[in-house]
Structures are given as structure tokens and as C-alpha cells.
Amino acid sequence: METIESMAEVRYTGEKGLAEALRGADALFVYDFLSTAVPGAWHAADKLRWLHIASAGVDPVMFPALRESDVTLTNSRGVFDASIAEYVLGVIIAFAKDLPRSLELQREGRWQHRESERVAGRHALVVGTGPIGRAIARMLRAAGMVVSGMGRRAREDDPDFGAVHASAELVRHLPAFDYVVAVAPLTEQTKGMFDAAAFATMKQSARFVNVGRGELVVTADLVTAMREGRIAGAALDVFETEPLPPDDPLWTMPNVLVSPHMSGDFAGWRNALVEVFADNFERWHTGRPLRNVVDKQLGYVPSGHLGA
Amino acid sequence: METIESMAEVRYTGEKGLAEALRGADALFVYDFLSTAVPGAWHAADKLRWLHIASAGVDPVMFPALRESDVTLTNSRGVFDASIAEYVLGVIIAFAKDLPRSLELQREGRWQHRESERVAGRHALVVGTGPIGRAIARMLRAAGMVVSGMGRRAREDDPDFGAVHASAELVRHLPAFDYVVAVAPLTEQTKGMFDAAAFATMKQSARFVNVGRGELVVTADLVTAMREGRIAGAALDVFETEPLPPDDPLWTMPNVLVSPHMSGDFAGWRNALVEVFADNFERWHTGRPLRNVVDKQLGYVPSGHLGA
């Protein structure tokens, strides 16, 4: 931030002082991306022209007043891609090799040989064709999996996915997949897309992985699907309510892996996030086009605007 | 086995009836590869010309009388390669993403965000350049790791490893690696190669993975190295004594993952093993050269004899 401090007056604030700090500010860097304070302080954004958020998903700031304003919104696209892809492959192999059960048996000091599953040749659907979904697709394919994508528009010749199915046809396509990975941006269209109907059509042996947003899933439906054995497992890094409340049934369900929204957060991520902002700030300061400009109607950076 | 039964008189036996069944037999298929019964029944092998073992490692049958005999020894090279490679990448990602700790926190219902490590760019040494080691090298490289091999002879241009270091120089090379994977065949040369001196030169942040044989490691030295924090973790699928005795300290050591010699055993492995034997039997029956002929002096199938 030192470079930026030499070019601008920088105000640091928590949620409480946000309105006061916003008054007269030209740009806002939302570093705590889970903060819900921005809508409440928006009345003070009298001069704001640019809002940058330290996350890939911009759903926390997609309130109507921002959407309808002329404020440019940019995100931190790119920082988390490779780390999340590693995480997704890791939980997939953990399921295939029954690693959680090995750890459980180890705690009990029990030697119990089991057969495991292969990863190569299994079919994975990556729902979300942004850069994180692409990194996941490349990683899973490198491990020998057969990968398809799912996005707004169906197409056959995507460089990372090959076939991309249309998300409007989710339920029709789900039965073909051993692993379903949710990494779509949270929008009005994607909210709750994984519901009872979706889980009912998945293979009984399928595992569901969510590294997108908790709200992509109707959590009660997922809990029911797991309880009734309609799918075989779920690895969840994101939740409708974060932190996941202590009494949530997901904590204790068999074959559910809960992690605390950390799949992308490799050592060094905070610096990487500041660097993305600093790069954009320098562009803004010198009048060049910003990177990672979010289409506020779509709710994400469209793929035509990779900006790099 | 039905095809084979149509071509030969087949005797099935457990350890107890082995000597009796061996008398007059031309070929022996050791299906229970951990059995130690063969040396004790060897006096009855009056006509034996061929012994096939349902494993990649042939150390359980490398007793002097077999070594010095004219009996041809073949193994089940190839069956386990890809499955073990998936397992190794799985435990590496589990370490990098702190997955065992996530499972522990999940049991306690605790939401505790941590930073994780990247896998890409980390340096892995695969000790053992047979087909399993090669499959591991390809898999780790596909995940973005920087991989070297270690074998009897140093070389620079190996198709799977790039650089292969000489195992005589193990201790000199170890400090460069974040992950060290043991998958060498168990021979007089490799027995106990991972000892106090080896663990002392590894990075303090390094993890050790053993999918070869327990006897490649001086287990007491590994326990000491883990206790004293000289290395950061170990994933062990093989042990000097199997099953691992209930009172073994490895069961309860932090950052040690114990699995019951199952890394290669994907669903279908037993059929795959019988198919390897059936293919070789058909070759033997029709006088064609056998696949996977073990060099009984080296203790493994030399790479010039891939047989496929």
C-alpha cells in the first residue's frame, strides 16, 4: 500500500467508520470481502467512482444502489484460481481413496484394508466457466478425469472444457457425472440451483463439491439428499451462513467434508490481493483501463473482459 | 482362472497345504503376496519352473534358494501404477491443504480459517524409477510440481523424470525437496536407506511418503525425526510389520497418516492381477517369452525388460 499512499490520500477503516471514510472518497477498496457494511454506508459515497473488492465473487456488493450507480466495480479475479483447483482435486482424491475413513481408523488404531476408487476416467462437471472453473477443469483433466463445463450458453469447443452444457439444462446433464463441482458466480440465476431436483438426478455414487458460494445450494435439500443417501458425499468450503453455526447438521454428517472458506487462501494470498488492487490503482491513477471490470448486470467479469 | 483350468491342472491351496500342492507343479501363482509360506514349502518344489507373484515388489520370495534356482520369477508390474500415483498426489494435496486438520476441526465443530500451501512449484523427489515411480512422477508433474527421480544410476534425460539422481547420493540431494516419495524395490541396497542421516538432512518443512516397502525406512529413526520435528509429516501406506501392531507409536503421532497397505488397491485390482497372470500363463503355455521377468540378482524387473 506504500506506493498507493504516495499517490493518494488513503483512509483505512473498519466497518464502523466506513460511512465517514467514504465521504469524499474517489475509490473504495473492500479488503474484508465478506463485510456487509458497504450497503449501509452507501449514502455517504458522494464522490465514489470505483469500488474494488478483494475477492472473486462480487455478490456481497451487488446491492441495487451500486448496480444502478455509475461506480465501476472490479474484482480480484485470478488470485485464487490455482489454489482452489488444487483443493478441488485434493478432496476428489480424498473421496476416491477413502482418506477420511483412513484417518478415522487411524484414530482407533485399526488396520482395515479397503479397496479404493480410481480417479482417472471418472466424469466431472464443473459448474461455472470463469477462471477458477477453468483452472479446476485443467487440473482435473491433468489427473486423468473426463471433464465437462456448465455455463450460460452451451458450446462444444471450449479450450478448457471441450463441451460446455447450458446451466438451464443442469438436471438433464447431472446423471452423467461422478463429481459435480459448484464454482459459478452467485447471481439471481444461479442462486439455489442445486436443489432437491438436482440432487435427485445425480448418481447415487456422486460427490458434490462447493467452492463457489453457499447460496448456490439449497442447503436443506443437500442435507436431505445426504441423509437419504441420494448422493455419496459432499465437500463444502462455502456456506449460506459463515462461519457455519455450531449446531449446523453439516458438521457431523457422514461423508460431508466441511472446511472454513479457505480453499483459495494459500500463504501469500493477502499480499497477492493487495497487488491486484495496487496494479489497478496505478491504472486508474494514470487513466488507463482497469482490469477485472465486473458487468454489474451479469454479476461477474464477462469472459470477453479478461483484462490481462 | 477358467481359461487356465481348461489348459492345466490347477491346484488351489492356502499356506498350510502349499508343500503338498507344490510337489509336481510346474508353475506357482502366489496370489497372497504377503505370504511368507513359500520358503518353508520350497523343499517340495521338485518340478517348478515358474513362479508368478501378485504384486509389484518381489521381496517376499527373494530367499536364497529361489534366487539360486533356475525358476523364472515374474511379477504383476503395471497393475498398481496409476492408482498409487493418485494416492500419492492425494496425500500431498492433503498435507498442503491441511485436510486432516480440517477433519479434526470438523469433529469439534470449530470454524478455524487457516492459510494453506500451494502444490504447484513444490519440489518432489521420487525414489524408485520403476513403473510406479514413473506414474507418480507424471502425476505430480501434471499437478504442477517440480519432480526429480532417484535410481541406481544418475542421468539427465529420463523421459518421465528429467533428472535422475544416484541413490548413493541420497543424503546430498534430500535438502532440496519438499516431498520425498519412497517407491524403490526392497533390496539389500535399498533396505533402511531412509535412516536418521536421511531425515536429518531433509527440510524441516518436508513430508515423507512411503508407498514402497516399510523396510526401506529405519522406522525408529522416522519416529524420532517426527517426534523432534525434523520433518513436517509422513504418509505411510507400508510398514516393517503389517498389519501395523496396535501399540505402534505411528498410529497416534501428529502429522503422520497411516493407511493399511491399500494405495494401489482400486476396486477391480484382484481381477486385474489374475488377468496379468492369465496373460503370462497363456504365453508360458504356448512357449512365448514371459512378461515382467524379474532379474533375481537385482530384485526387480530391469527397465530394459518392460515386456509390453
Side-chain angles (χ1 to χ4, degrees), chain A residues 139-152:
Chain A
M139 181 66 97
L140 302 191
R141 188 166 293 121
M145 301 185 81
V146 183
V147 182
S148 305
M150 178 157 280
R152 281 198 310 156

Side-chain angles (χ1 to χ4, degrees), chain B residues 90-109:
Chain B
V91 294
I92 287 175
I93 303 182
F95 278 128
K97 305 302 174 188
D98 209 16
L99 185 59
R101 178 74 181 137
S102 286
L103 290 164
E104 210 173 286
L105 289 163
Q106 182 177 346
R107 275 203 318 281
E108 301 166 5

Side-chain angles (χ1 to χ4, degrees), chain A residues 82-83 86 93 97 103 106-107 111-113 115-116 118-120 243-244 251 256 258 260-261 265-267 269, chain B residues 82-83 86 93 97 103 106-107 111-113 115-116 118-120 243-244 251 256 258 260-261 265-267 269:
Chain A
S83 192
E86 292 173 352
I93 304 182
K97 304 304 174 188
L103 290 165
Q106 180 177 347
R107 276 203 317 282
W111 180 276
Q112 190 179 296
H113 181 275
E115 293 186 346
S116 62
R118 290 295 312 276
V119 172
L244 188 65
W251 283 114
V256 172
V258 169
H261 203 145
D265 302 346
F266 61 96
W269 67 298
Chain B
S83 192
E86 292 173 352
I93 303 182
K97 305 302 174 188
L103 290 164
Q106 182 177 346
R107 275 203 318 281
W111 180 277
Q112 190 179 295
H113 180 276
E115 294 187 344
S116 63
R118 290 293 313 276
V119 172
L244 188 65
W251 285 114
V256 172
V258 169
H261 202 146
D265 302 345
F266 61 97
W269 66 299

Side-chain angles (χ1 to χ4, degrees), chain B residues 11-277:
Chain B
R11 301 169 188 163
Y12 298 90
T13 180
E15 298 199 348
K16 210 176 164 190
L18 181 59
E20 198 180 336
L22 254 184
R23 210 170 302 277
D26 299 297
L28 170 63
F29 175 25
V30 179
Y31 183 64
D32 175 4
F33 73 96
L34 286 174
S35 167
T36 53
V38 180
W42 196 248
H43 63 274
D46 51 355
K47 280 189 66 189
L48 199 70
R49 288 181 288 143
W50 173 37
L51 190 162
H52 181 86
I53 186 163
S55 62
V58 297
D59 44 287
V61 291
M62 288 303 281
F63 51 96
L66 171 65
R67 240 182 185 157
E68 288 149 23
S69 73
D70 291 332
V71 172
T72 300
L73 174 63
T74 57
N75 75 357
S76 299
R77 190 180 169 104
V79 169
F80 306 98
D81 305 359
S83 192
I84 294 179
E86 292 173 352
Y87 177 91
V88 170
L89 179 57
V91 294
I92 287 175
I93 303 182
F95 278 128
K97 305 302 174 188
D98 209 16
L99 185 59
R101 178 74 181 137
S102 286
L103 290 164
E104 210 173 286
L105 289 163
Q106 182 177 346
R107 275 203 318 281
E108 301 166 5
R110 286 170 63 198
W111 180 277
Q112 190 179 295
H113 180 276
R114 292 99 63 211
E115 294 187 344
S116 63
E117 297 168 18
R118 290 293 313 276
V119 172
R122 298 301 161 111
H123 290 246
L125 178 67
V126 179
V127 180
T129 57
I132 302 176
R134 288 176 183 281
I136 294 169
R138 290 190 297 268
M139 182 66 96
L140 302 191
R141 188 168 292 122
M145 301 186 79
V146 182
V147 182
S148 306
M150 179 159 278
R152 280 199 309 156
R153 287 179 313 277
R155 50 199 187 271
E156 286 299 324
D157 53 355
D158 185 278
D160 293 315
F161 291 101
V164 173
H165 305 302
S167 43
E169 298 193 314
L170 175 69
V171 168
R172 184 164 82 77
H173 288 289
L174 280 176
F177 294 96
D178 304 299
Y179 294 92
V180 177
V181 183
V183 64
L186 178 62
T187 67
E188 284 309 310
Q189 285 72 46
T190 62
K191 191 173 174 174
M193 70 189 291
F194 293 98
D195 57 9
F199 295 119
T201 51
M202 281 169 69
K203 282 186 187 180
Q204 220 174 345
S205 59
R207 280 82 171 219
F208 176 71
V209 180
N210 192 0
V211 287
R213 285 284 184 259
E215 295 90 335
L216 297 173
V217 181
V218 179
T219 307
D221 291 357
L222 172 60
V223 168
T224 303
M226 287 300 303
R227 272 206 184 118
E228 298 183 351
R230 290 195 208 153
I231 64 171
L236 309 171
D237 190 53
V238 290
F239 303 87
E240 287 191 70
T241 305
E242 295 181 10
L244 188 65
D247 59 347
D248 196 288
L250 288 170
W251 285 114
T252 53
M253 297 192 78
N255 305 315
V256 172
L257 311 183
V258 169
S259 56
H261 202 146
M262 63 179 275
S263 70
D265 302 345
F266 61 97
W269 66 299
R270 292 182 187 278
N271 278 344
L273 285 171
V274 172
E275 276 167 27
V276 169
F277 173 64

